[in-house]
């Protein structure tokens, strides 16, 4: 019997459940292959520009490192970067650690970092990727310049005191190899500085990826080989754990806890903060959700306490803003909407929907613990007040196409249905990172409010960190009133 680890991500809507067996099996595992299951291989395979969130992070994190990283509590530390200093409101200098090697043996130098950010800023091939969008809407890097072999000067297009935190959202590849190969070939033969290298992809996004340890990595690998396997259904991941086909599973349902423990697995829980929910396509004038009262009604219709207690085992708390308590700008005075179906029906009637209406929510079950059950529960509760909700399951590849408007929807813009899965991750620890569509100027988007946009612009123009925090907290108040999200 091999060591088995079952992983379930939970925080402010999401925890890692870990189960381990015998020490002998653990020794066997450390000398062999760790088999990890997630919902999907990254649609971009090894292309580093396609994101640091689920599910792409599970494919890319073993291959690449970022300049900085952010802890679950929001603390920033250096990864590839040794240090950084602020020169003026739009200028930062970042110094790299020396001796860091890429998988091909070449040393990481300032030229690689400059080349990657120049690619994101100026190369049209990067447009439409997650990293491009993150920079355009949040990091605001306008240029990167080599000062010496290990120092990069970043100039932002507007003041950004949180740049070191946001640099955690960008993987650094071996750009010279990428440029020689071309992006398509590089995505299948990526070269980074991460603990695993030489990936082989079998079966596409629903297949698996095999990697071998890179002994010279900054983050030292503890096993010789890693296999990442796509198992879309959470129940299949549980079955695979029990049948010893995999060792770690992401997104295990809470209701499998007793079954796993009964089979001899030890269960540990660790938090991974994230504000789970759906987003409304409120910019569509022909949609019921264009009316703020309808969005508020939907939020009053959800019993978040029942979700936290009954579906997530009491490991989490209801969410009321697109931030967690460790997020920069989190506002403790912004409370979740209470469960009040009577108020929900009243607001729907005031908005002209006394008889309710039909709608649709696009979801990706398997990304969060118990998410399939949560989505079904939410659809039932919405339907109970008159918002008759059909759930449509899509893939992450489809989600990306809709997000970048490759498949436009009604009235143009994003191609999603009137509600779609879009949780607020704590990764970069800035709440407006979770609101890239707040701006009415940057279409296509899902939400537009002039007062929120003005507050966001004011916050982005403020370099004093505490003043900036206060402005973002004020933005959280406005955003709670306008509710672009259905929070769980």
């Amino acid at each position: 019997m091999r060591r088995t680890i079952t992983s379930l991500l939970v925080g402010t809507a999401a925890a890692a459940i870990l189960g381990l067996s015998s020490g002998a099996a653990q020794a066997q595992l450390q000398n062999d292959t760790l088999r990890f299951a997630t919902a999907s291989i990254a649609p971009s395979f090894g292309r580093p520009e396609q994101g640091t969130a689920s599910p792409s992070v599970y494919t890319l994190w073993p291959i690449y490192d970022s300049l900085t990283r952010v802890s679950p509590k929001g603390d920033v530390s250096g990864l590839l970067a040794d240090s950084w200093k602020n020169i003026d409101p739009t200028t930062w200098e970042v110094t790299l650690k020396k001796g860091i090697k890429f998988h091909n043996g070449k040393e990481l130098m300032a030229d690689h970092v400059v080349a990657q950010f120049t690619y994101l800023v100026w190369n049209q091939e990067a447009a439409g990727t997650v990293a491009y969008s993150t920079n355009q809407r949040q990091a605001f890097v306008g240029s990167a310049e080599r000062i010496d072999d290990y120092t990069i000067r970043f100039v932002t297009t507007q003041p950004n005191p949180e740049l070191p935190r946001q640099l955690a959202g960008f993987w650094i590849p071996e750009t010279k190899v990428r440029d020689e190969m071309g992006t398509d070939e590089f995505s299948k033969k990526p070269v980074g500085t991460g603990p695993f290298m030489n990936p082989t992809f079998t079966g596409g996004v629903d297949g698996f990826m095999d990697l071998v340890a890179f002994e010279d990595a900054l983050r030292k690998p503890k096993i010789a080989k890693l296999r990442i396997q796509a198992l879309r259904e959470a129940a299949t991941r549980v079955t695979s754990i029990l049948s010893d086909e995999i060792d770690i599973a992401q997104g295990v349902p809470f209701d499998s806890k007793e079954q796993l423990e009964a089979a001899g697995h030890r269960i540990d829980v660790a938090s991974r903060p994230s504000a789970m929910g759906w987003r409304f396509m409120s910019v569509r004038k022909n949609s019921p959700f264009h009316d703020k009262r309808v969005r508020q009604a939907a939020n009053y219709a959800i019993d978040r306490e029942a979700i936290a207690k009954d579906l997530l085992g009491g490991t989490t708390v209801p969410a009321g803003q697109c931030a967690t308590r460790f997020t920069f700008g989190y506002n403790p005075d912004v409370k979740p909407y209470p469960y009040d179906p009577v108020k929900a029906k009243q607001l729907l009637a005031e908005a002209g929907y006394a008889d309710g209406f039909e709608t649709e929510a696009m979801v990706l079950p398997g990304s969060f613990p118990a998410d399939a059950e949560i989505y079904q529960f939410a659809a039932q509760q919405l339907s109970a007040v008159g918002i008759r909700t059909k759930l449509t399951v899509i893939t992450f590849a489809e989600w990306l196409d809709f997000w970048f408007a490759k498949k436009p929807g009604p009235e143009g813009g994003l191609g999603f249905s009137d509600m779609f899965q879009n949780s607020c991750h704590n990764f970069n620890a800035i709440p407006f990172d979770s609101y890239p569509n707040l701006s009415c100027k940057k279409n296509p988007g899902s939400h537009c409010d002039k007062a929120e946009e003005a507050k966001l612009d004011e916050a982005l123009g403020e370099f004093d960190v505490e003043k900036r925090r206060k402005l973002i907290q004020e933005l959280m108040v406005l955003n709670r009133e306008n509710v672009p999200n259905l929070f769980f």
Side-chain angles (χ1 to χ4, degrees), residues 14 60 122 150 156 233 235 239 250 270 290 299 303-304 366 439 445-446:
L60 301 176
W122 296 107
Y150 300 100
T156 58
E233 299 297 329
T239 301
Q250 176 263 331
H290 185 66
N299 273 277
D303 187 347
R304 294 166 185 80
S439 174
S446 62

Side-chain angles (χ1 to χ4, degrees), residues 197-481:
M197 64 179 185
N198 298 340
T200 58
F201 298 91
T202 306
V205 296
D206 293 320
F208 52 86
M209 177 178 73
D210 286 307
L211 307 98
V212 297
F214 176 47
E215 298 299 338
D216 291 331
L218 178 66
R219 295 179 288 130
K220 298 298 182 185
K222 297 180 180 180
I223 53 172
K225 299 177 183 178
L226 173 65
R227 165 168 285 198
I228 299 175
Q229 183 172 354
L231 294 175
R232 186 171 297 182
E233 299 297 329
T236 304
R237 297 196 285 276
V238 172
T239 301
S240 296
I241 285 282
L242 295 170
S243 62
D244 192 35
E245 295 174 19
I246 59 175
D247 305 300
I248 299 179
Q250 176 263 331
V252 174
F254 266 104
D255 58 12
S256 300
K257 182 175 183 288
E258 292 184 5
Q259 181 185 18
L260 290 164
E261 287 179 326
H265 306 294
R266 191 183 83 226
I267 304 300
D268 298 323
V269 179
S271 66
R272 193 280 194 191
S274 178
M276 185 180 182
W278 297 342
R279 184 175 292 192
F280 300 114
M281 284 296 302
S282 61
V283 294
R284 291 181 184 154
K285 295 181 180 180
N286 292 324
S287 166
F289 294 111
H290 185 66
D291 192 314
K292 177 173 68 176
R293 293 169 295 184
V294 176
R295 303 195 299 274
Q296 291 174 336
N299 273 277
Y300 279 116
I302 302 300
D303 187 347
R304 294 166 185 80
E305 294 288 352
I307 291 175
K309 179 180 178 181
D310 300 331
L311 297 179
L312 292 173
T315 63
T316 186
V317 296
Q321 57 190 296
C322 218
T324 75
R325 62 189 182 279
F326 297 125
T327 304
F328 180 84
Y330 171 77
N331 190 333
D333 295 327
V334 173
K335 305 301 181 184
Y337 275 75
Y339 175 51
D340 191 341
V342 174
K343 178 72 170 178
K345 291 179 180 179
Q346 176 188 336
L347 286 167
L348 287 175
E350 291 176 5
Y353 297 99
D355 296 327
F357 59 90
E358 309 286 333
T359 190
E360 178 185 10
M362 290 181 172
V363 297
L364 294 82
S367 301
F368 294 92
D371 54 5
E373 293 84 355
I374 291 171
Y375 299 155
Q376 291 169 3
F377 180 74
Q380 291 168 1
Q381 291 210 295
L382 290 171
S383 297
V385 301
I387 305 175
R388 296 179 291 277
T389 304
K390 170 189 173 184
L391 296 177
T392 299
V393 175
I394 61 174
T395 66
F396 185 61
E398 291 174 312
W399 190 97
L400 285 174
D401 283 346
F402 292 142
W403 183 257
F404 291 112
K406 294 179 181 178
K407 296 181 179 179
E411 302 180 57
L414 303 183
F416 295 105
S417 57
D418 280 355
M419 292 186 289
F420 65 97
Q421 180 177 328
N422 187 224
S423 296
C424 307
H425 300 291
N426 194 42
F427 182 73
N428 283 340
I430 308 261
F432 53 75
D433 277 0
S434 300
Y435 292 116
N437 292 315
L438 269 178
S439 174
C440 305
K441 294 177 262 187
K442 295 178 180 176
N443 289 321
S446 62
H447 176 68
C448 171
D449 181 84
K450 293 294 186 181
E452 286 184 60
E453 181 181 48
K455 184 64 67 175
L456 177 61
D457 286 345
E458 187 180 1
L460 293 178
E462 177 57 65
F463 197 75
D464 182 280
V465 173
E466 289 309 312
K467 290 180 180 179
R468 189 181 181 113
R469 188 195 308 273
K470 185 176 184 296
L471 290 168
I472 297 171
Q473 289 175 332
E474 292 172 2
L475 174 60
M476 293 296 101
V477 175
L478 288 172
N479 201 250
R480 195 246 190 211
E481 170 70 15

Side-chain angles (χ1 to χ4, degrees), residues 108-166:
L108 170 73
M109 307 293 278
D111 286 342
H112 294 102
V113 179
V114 170
Q116 179 62 2
F117 278 89
T118 300
Y119 174 81
L120 291 175
V121 173
W122 296 107
N123 195 319
Q124 283 301 305
E125 185 180 68
T129 66
V130 174
Y132 176 88
S133 177
T134 299
N135 184 53
Q136 288 288 308
R137 294 171 174 173
Q138 291 128 39
F140 306 114
V141 172
S143 66
E145 176 188 359
R146 175 188 178 278
I147 302 302
D148 58 42
D149 284 348
Y150 300 100
T151 308
I152 306 99
R153 177 176 293 151
F154 290 100
V155 177
T156 58
T157 57
Q158 58 190 72
N160 184 5
E162 294 299 318
L163 182 64
R165 185 183 307 274
Q166 292 169 332

Side-chain angles (χ1 to χ4, degrees), residues 53-75:
S54 177
S56 293
V57 64
Y58 300 112
T59 302
L60 301 176
W61 181 235
I63 301 171
Y64 299 107
D65 292 307
S66 50
L67 291 169
T68 63
R69 58 181 166 187
V70 179
S71 76
K73 293 186 177 181
D75 300 321

